[in-house]
């Protein structure tokens, strides 16, 4: 176990400690391997007051747990107040994206704008040789430089959330858990006597109380909680809803309407506060345009494009696709098999086998069967 390529024996390593079992094991293993470990916990919201929810990250109880682990290991530990930065970079973006009828991924934004930018800079300021995290992904020295690969355990792989990591950041990062499965991580925690060995995994978005993201968005952007119509693809009213933030493209549960066949959200019209639903065949998408691309491969796709696998949602399996440049730093993705739930605002991540090549944010994903103009489209 261990991702220590390029690190000198005894080098200083900053470990991002969330208070959970994964990052705690990283700190324990790096310390046991003789590195000078400095634990850093980011206070991201609520001024450290715990919400009382099991599985919430970065709240008061988690800070307490991280401190206990650091004391157990005998390592330095610092708590940094990042609440304002986190609010601006992650929470506001989360609310704005839902209010625009799109579906955000706050964990990617947190990695991109806080952990792998601000925290990484702090690690360098502390004289560290690396920043180690508890992500289940693998950093591999390839022929042309460092590569990012899926974690060895498909059920725990978190590489999708790291697609926006730059090559420079990847050079400095380490992911010691990438070759483990979760049970192995817990076994290591128990072996080192860590007090978080049996702590539940994070299940919800850390800053969303009670797991109700729509309530959080409504408090920040009241317009997203404005009631509106639910219509079919022809524009026929089927019911009412209590805010567009309760819906995402591809959703098929808790729609609030019934029909003779299963319905899916096929479009969200934020301007008219309208949710459009239809059967699965109406929800199929054959291609998507990606914006704000980040490419980790040494060579970007040629003009003729590249055959790859893509993952257009974290909980979706990878699917065969063809990607090609679309100008202005954008990318066009053509799915080999039409997909359901290709939602603007989500990430589409590009892989060659286990290797992550890059990815971007889904900007546009036209349906194979265009809905009536009168119904409005997302």
């Amino acid at each position: 176990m261990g991702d220590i390529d390029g690190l000198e024996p005894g080098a200083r390593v900053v470990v991002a400690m969330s208070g959970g079992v994964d990052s705690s094991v990283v700190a324990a293993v790096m310390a046991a391997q003789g590195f000078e470990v400095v634990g850093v916990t980011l206070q991201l919201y609520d001024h450290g007051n715990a919400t009382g929810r099991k599985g919430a990250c970065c709240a008061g109880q988690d800070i307490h747990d991280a401190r206990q682990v650091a004391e157990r290991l005998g390592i330095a530990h610092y708590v940094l107040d990042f609440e304002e930065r986190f609010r601006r970079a992650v929470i506001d973006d989360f609310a704005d994206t839902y209010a625009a009828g799109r579906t955000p991924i706050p964990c990617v934004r947190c990695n991109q704008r806080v952990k792998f930018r601000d925290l990484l800079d702090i690690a360098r300021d502390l004289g560290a040789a690396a920043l180690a995290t508890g992500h289940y992904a693998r950093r591999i020295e390839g022929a042309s430089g460092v590569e990012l690969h899926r974690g060895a355990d498909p059920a725990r792989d978190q590489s999708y959330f790291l697609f926006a990591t730059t090559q420079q950041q990847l050079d400095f990062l380490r992911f010691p858990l990438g070759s483990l499965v979760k049970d192995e991580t817990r076994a290591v925690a128990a072996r080192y006597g860590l007090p978080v060995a049996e702590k539940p995994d994070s299940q919800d978005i850390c800053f969303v109380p009670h797991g109700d993201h729509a309530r959080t968005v409504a408090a920040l952007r009241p317009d997203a909680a404005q009631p509106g119509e639910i219509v079919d693809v022809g524009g026929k009213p089927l019911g009412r809803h209590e805010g567009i933030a309760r819906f995402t493209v591809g959703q098929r549960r808790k729609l609030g309407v019934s029909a003779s066949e299963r319905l899916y959200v096929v479009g969200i019209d934020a301007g008219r506060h309208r949710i459009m639903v239809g059967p699965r065949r109406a929800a199929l998408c054959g291609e998507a345009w990606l914006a704000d691309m980040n490419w980790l491969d040494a060579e970007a796709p040629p003009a003729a494009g590249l055959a790859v696998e893509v993952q257009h949602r974290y909980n979706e399996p990878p699917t065969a696709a063809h990607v090609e440049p679309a100008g202005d730093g954008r990318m066009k993705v053509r799915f080999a098999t039409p997909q359901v739930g290709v939602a603007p605002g989500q990430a589409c991540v590009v892989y060659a086998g286990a290797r992550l090549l890059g990815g971007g944010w889904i900007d546009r994903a036209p349906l194979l069967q265009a809905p009536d103009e009168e119904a409005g489209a997302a």
Side-chain angles (χ1 to χ4, degrees):
M1 174 188 172
D3 175 9
I4 59 174
D5 290 338
L7 298 181
E8 296 292 333
R12 178 176 295 171
V13 175
V14 167
V15 176
M17 298 181 68
S18 69
V21 63
D22 296 329
S23 59
S24 297
V25 166
V26 170
V29 169
M30 298 299 276
Q33 291 179 340
F35 294 104
E36 181 192 349
V37 174
V38 178
V40 174
T41 301
L42 302 183
Q43 181 177 296
L44 298 180
Y45 66 96
D46 201 28
H47 291 293
N49 293 323
T51 62
R53 284 188 301 123
K54 290 185 177 181
C57 74
C58 311
Q61 182 61 47
D62 300 295
I63 292 172
H64 171 75
D65 290 343
R67 184 177 291 118
Q68 275 198 318
V69 169
E71 290 174 355
R72 170 80 179 181
L73 298 175
I75 63 173
H77 178 250
Y78 301 97
V79 178
L80 304 180
D81 184 358
F82 270 44
E83 183 174 355
E84 181 58 27
R85 268 182 269 194
F86 185 74
R87 183 191 62 77
R88 293 195 311 266
V90 180
I91 298 178
D92 284 349
D93 175 83
F94 176 82
D96 289 340
T97 302
Y98 264 120
R102 294 173 172 248
T103 307
I105 317 177
C107 292
V108 174
R109 289 302 193 196
C110 184
N111 289 330
Q112 179 186 34
R113 297 177 174 179
V114 180
K115 291 179 181 176
F116 293 169
R117 187 179 67 183
D118 297 334
L119 179 54
L120 192 144
D121 287 343
I122 288 170
R124 286 198 174 102
D125 289 343
L126 289 172
L131 171 66
T133 78
H135 289 97
Y136 286 84
R138 291 178 295 159
R139 175 188 176 279
I140 294 177
E141 296 281 353
S144 301
V146 181
E147 301 171 356
L148 182 61
H149 288 238
R150 291 186 182 275
D153 181 2
R156 301 296 304 182
D157 171 51
Q158 293 174 307
S159 60
Y160 176 91
F161 296 110
L162 306 178
F163 87 88
T165 305
T166 67
Q167 189 66 56
Q168 185 180 28
Q169 291 168 343
L170 190 59
D171 288 341
F172 192 73
L173 289 164
R174 298 294 188 277
F175 308 115
L177 304 186
S179 62
L180 300 186
V181 299
K182 187 69 178 202
D183 287 347
E184 292 174 320
T185 300
R186 292 199 182 276
V188 174
R191 187 162 70 244
Y192 284 105
L194 302 184
V196 295
E198 299 300 325
K199 185 174 180 177
D201 291 340
S202 297
Q203 298 295 328
D204 300 322
I205 299 169
C206 65
F207 58 86
V208 176
H210 315 297
D212 188 349
H213 75 270
R215 190 194 310 178
T216 297
V217 174
L220 296 169
R221 303 292 184 270
D223 195 50
Q226 182 173 322
E229 284 187 320
I230 300 174
V231 302
D232 66 14
V233 291
K236 177 183 176 182
L238 300 178
R240 302 281 296 175
H241 66 80
E242 297 180 355
I244 61 172
R246 298 180 179 276
F247 300 89
T248 181
V249 169
Q251 180 176 329
R252 58 187 177 87
R253 294 186 177 90
K254 298 182 179 180
L255 300 185
V257 295
S258 58
S260 58
E261 56 185 323
R262 174 168 284 172
L263 297 178
Y264 296 75
V265 174
V266 301
I268 300 174
D269 186 339
R272 290 190 282 183
H273 304 282
R274 178 176 287 182
I275 303 298
M276 189 189 314
V277 299
R280 189 179 189 281
R281 62 184 176 276
L284 292 172
C285 171
E287 57 191 23
W289 276 259
L290 312 184
D292 299 324
M293 286 295 302
N294 180 59
W295 202 252
L296 279 171
D297 191 18
E299 297 182 5
L306 193 65
V308 295
E309 288 187 327
V310 298
Q311 196 169 336
H312 64 82
R313 229 179 173 103
Y314 173 65
N315 56 1
E316 288 287 337
T319 185
H322 184 273
V323 297
E324 61 188 52
D328 298 325
R330 296 159 64 88
M331 198 78 70
K332 180 181 178 181
V333 177
R334 287 190 287 109
F335 303 108
T337 303
Q339 300 290 299
V340 172
V342 184
Q346 289 279 291
C348 186
V349 182
V350 182
Y351 292 88
R355 183 184 176 188
L356 192 156
L357 300 179
W361 299 95
I362 300 171
D363 182 53
R364 190 162 64 90
L367 301 172
L368 288 179
Q369 297 181 7
D372 291 350
E373 290 186 4
E374 289 301 313

